[in-house]
Amino acid sequence: MPCLKRNEGGQLRFGPARAFFPFAAVAVSSLCQTQGRLLWSSLFSFLFLLPTLGHAQITQTIRGRVTDAANQRGLPGANVVLTDTTTFRGAATDLDGNFRIDNVPIGKVTLKVSFLGFEERVLENLILTPSKQLVLDVALTESINRVDEVVISAGRDKGQAMNEMGLISARTFSVEETRRFAGSWQDPARAAAAFAGVNGGSDERNDIIIRGNSPTSVLWRLEGINIPNPNHLSFSGSTGGPVSILNNNMLDDSDFFTGAFPAEYGNANAGAFDLSLRKGNNEKREYYLQIGLNGLEAGIEGPFSKKHRASYLASYRYSTMAIISAMGINIGISAVPFYQDLTFVIDVPVNQKVGRFTLWGIGGLSSIHITDNPGFNSAGEEERDQKLGSDMGAVGLTHFKYLRQKSSIRTTVAVSGLRQWQENFSIFRTDSTVTELLEDRNLNITTTASVHSRVNTKLSARSNLRSGIIYDHRFVSFLDSTWVPSLASHRVRLNVQANVGLAQGYIQLHHRFTEKWTGTIGAYGQVSTLNLAYSIEPRLGLTWKPHPRHGLSFGAGMHSQMLPLLTYFYETYDPATGSYLRTNDDLGFSRSIHTILGYDWTIIPKLRLKLEGYYQHVYAMPVQQRPSHFSLANAGESIGDIQVADSLVHNGIGRNMGVELTVEKFFGRGYYFLFSGSLYNSTYRASDGLWRNTAFNGNHGISALGGYELKLSKKNTLAFDSRITWRGGMRYIPIDLDASIAAGERVLETDRAYEDKLPDYFRADLKVSFAFNGKRASHSLALDFQNIFNTSNVFSRTYNAATESIDTKYQLGFLPLVNYRVEF
């Protein structure tokens, strides 16, 4: 069974500049050379270590803080009790809300947290290992009923967002749960593709397509700051990439929104990731090592001093294939991806008067050199090489402080940057000479200074008010040049240095009318300093629970988004004057209106059904002035820089509508499953006046995943996880073969744009993982078998000028991956 499907010519090739980027295919080719040795050596290591495990009971500490969810103040005297022990084991919180339970046997544990006048909360299936203390931050919601009237017992609904303002199309992004998902590469974006209404772009990248919208319409927010594309080897204007810089080992539980999101999230038309970094252990130093496809990784956390509560947390990762190549080992390919990334958090709580300071940062460097025809060409035929890379980083300082008894303020200042570059070469060889010609070169650099200040006020047990301001100031530099044979020199097509500011503000109110009715109302506004374009957007959410197990939800809101910055500064060459003209600098924002209706049914504890129907009206979408199929609604349809055009106007419209079903069994009694399905239609109208499918209109998507965990002993577990994905293929513009042959290059049938779609995508993954705990260390080995049926999923169709035919390129074939991790 082959490890990788290739094109019909049997080669891995990239097309014209920026057309195709086979990073994942490159990675697979190298892994296929060594997969057998990795699998057997890993298994042998585990079989060797297994007899060394003792049978004595191993214990660990559970500690943390219990707070009021509305204002994050500690709750003194709250009860924290282990419910799955034969003898009572628990603790009461101190004056600051802190608690500690020592000598708890390792394994999965359940905690019940209660406080007089607040809704009780149950935390289930918490994983306790000998190598790491379990540190929790538990937020309780105040009851709106009198204490003597009712006793409330409710665990957090894991299908809902942690942010109480998100009442619909939102859910908690649990790191522990998504770490189980087969085929996710421990990547938050790839794991999110299992949720209803979400599709992945391709195996090669982790682009997120939400409800038929462009992947460029997704907001990435980290620690309250809007960050640039957090992926290695990314392209200009995109939000995805082959490997995520975000380290799953460093993330805390976060929120993911797919529509009608709360007022604090703006400058996005499709959805939002609201991610948080966890803080290091401030009592005990802990380490971990990990090796897998994503790289060789090491992490450390601990206290600066036993006398102070300050802590640090850091992780560093380097490309596995780059390490193997540096050792002189031939991995069978010439294009080796080089990447490395670093994440850190320094947390310094001072006192209640001064507050808490947190310094955090993430960053990644990446590059690759792709050779199209690496062999010697004695006929002097042209060869093409491509060099590209991207560097991303963000560092911020967050200050949190209580203002009054019921208010708090959180302010973050940060600097982020994104550098993306690409060079395309033609190579001419003879028997005695090799000539390399730089054909195209582009370099895009964006540096952003950001501030986000948010005030949260608990008005009463029923009401919580949140407001804030965000300002992002971007300093941009775009350089693009191409070789002109008639001039025997390079012509600069774009050379821009500019700065653009985006000011954002929001206010929102969360109010519980009764135990059955809850609502949120808010407003968001933004204004750009580029041309003073502005937007004011109302947001609304409402839930009604006529029965404890049944609920109806409604959400609506207006949304807008700044275009990819390169669009504003795009220049068109005027042959008459020999100069370039800028025709898009008066553009504003693309806009949309979301309306969603949802139904939730808790069938039994830990088993829920969720149904949502939505309609999105997209308007002010940039299209060309002259009649054309072009629309930025299709931005990100192919791998490469976002397509732009000249003379754009805000006359495009679109419609996204669909229905989504989720049936989810949360982990319990050793198993879990998640089924999500969607039927949808995504269309747009450009300047030619015709309604067309968007490039992302696959019409249907189904994801089914689940797993079973077998407890071999008190210390050892064996887990099986599987995942099946079936979705409609991407839409495309067909190639006019006769016209392409006549022209000697690809010619598209634009009058048939996006009528047809690629064959449906189908893939099945299986993961087998084994975990065992020693006295001071925890080990885990995961064997992730991706695309176990070796299904040939079409990636794209391209024109081959040499053979005067259309080549079909395929996505990943069968791929076995190994991941080993040790914590101590």
Side-chain angles (χ1 to χ4, degrees), residues 7 143 200 216 270 302 333 358 401 501 519 582 604 625 677 685 690 703 785 806:
N7 64 16
S143 171
T216 64
I333 58 172
T358 304
K401 184 181 183 301
R582 190 178 300 173
I604 58 175
Q625 288 182 352
R685 190 181 71 189
L690 301 177
S703 174
F785 303 99
I806 298 176

Side-chain angles (χ1 to χ4, degrees), residues 55-94:
H55 299 282
Q57 186 181 61
I58 303 174
T59 63
Q60 187 54 278
T61 296
I62 301 176
R63 61 187 183 88
R65 189 166 184 255
V66 180
T67 60
D68 185 336
N71 57 18
Q72 292 81 54
R73 286 188 176 272
L75 296 177
N79 294 315
V80 184
V81 180
L82 285 162
T83 63
D84 43 9
T85 57
T86 55
T87 60
F88 174 81
R89 196 183 292 264
T93 59
D94 61 17

Side-chain angles (χ1 to χ4, degrees), residues 239-258:
T239 58
V243 178
S244 177
I245 295 174
L246 296 167
N247 191 324
N248 201 44
N249 295 305
M250 306 290 284
L251 292 176
D252 204 349
D253 289 349
S254 306
D255 284 339
F256 180 53
F257 302 89
T258 57

Side-chain angles (χ1 to χ4, degrees), residues 143-376:
S143 171
I144 63 175
N145 289 327
R146 289 175 53 189
V147 178
D148 57 355
E149 287 180 345
V150 64
V151 176
I152 298 173
S153 178
R156 176 182 291 277
D157 186 348
K158 296 180 181 179
Q160 303 297 327
M162 294 187 300
N163 186 339
E164 65 177 2
M165 300 291 177
L167 299 183
I168 195 167
S169 293
R171 65 167 295 146
T172 297
F173 198 85
S174 169
V175 174
E176 285 297 334
E177 288 177 336
T178 54
R179 188 175 286 171
R180 299 190 185 105
F181 292 0
S184 67
W185 295 11
Q186 296 191 18
D187 181 344
R190 294 181 192 271
F195 302 146
V198 183
N199 287 326
S202 66
D203 292 341
E204 280 75 11
R205 293 171 60 83
N206 62 2
D207 295 286
I208 291 296
I209 300 169
I210 300 176
R211 294 175 173 173
N213 287 284
S214 163
T216 64
S217 299
V218 177
L219 170 70
W220 286 97
R221 179 171 290 181
L222 179 66
E223 291 295 311
I225 292 295
N226 303 328
I227 61 172
N229 188 337
N231 290 282
H232 288 297
L233 296 165
S234 64
F235 289 94
S236 177
S238 67
T239 58
V243 178
S244 177
I245 295 174
L246 296 167
N247 191 324
N248 201 44
N249 295 305
M250 306 290 284
L251 292 176
D252 204 349
D253 289 349
S254 306
D255 284 339
F256 180 53
F257 302 89
T258 57
F261 25 94
E264 61 192 278
Y265 305 102
N267 197 33
N269 279 321
F273 272 102
D274 188 0
L275 303 170
S276 300
L277 297 171
R278 66 183 183 88
K279 296 176 176 59
N281 192 326
N282 60 8
E283 289 188 0
K284 178 185 176 184
R285 186 171 291 113
E286 298 169 341
Y287 310 86
Y288 79 88
L289 296 172
Q290 179 173 297
I291 185 170
L293 172 69
N294 287 352
L296 176 62
E297 185 177 332
I300 183 174
E301 62 182 287
F304 284 101
S305 169
K306 293 183 179 180
K307 298 180 181 180
H308 198 277
R309 293 178 297 163
S311 66
Y312 60 87
L313 171 68
S315 176
Y316 175 76
R317 177 175 57 180
Y318 195 85
S319 165
T320 304
M321 286 175 283
I323 294 175
I324 296 174
S325 177
M327 295 170 61
I329 300 175
N330 183 6
I331 59 178
I333 58 172
S334 59
V336 178
F338 291 85
Y339 59 85
Q340 56 185 318
D341 50 64
L342 171 71
T343 306
F344 71 87
V345 179
I346 298 175
D347 183 54
V348 184
V350 183
N351 54 48
Q352 190 160 330
K353 184 177 180 180
V354 177
R356 176 190 293 265
F357 292 90
T358 304
L359 179 67
W360 55 270
I362 65 170
L365 309 175
S366 57
S367 64
I368 192 170
H369 180 192
I370 304 173
T371 56
D372 194 19
N373 296 301
F376 181 79

Side-chain angles (χ1 to χ4, degrees), residues 236 444 478 494 563-570 584 641-642 644:
S236 177
N444 301 327
F478 300 134
L494 183 66
L563 309 176
L565 289 179
L566 188 60
T567 305
Y568 296 100
F569 300 105
Y570 184 77
N584 293 336
D641 293 346
I642 299 300
V644 293

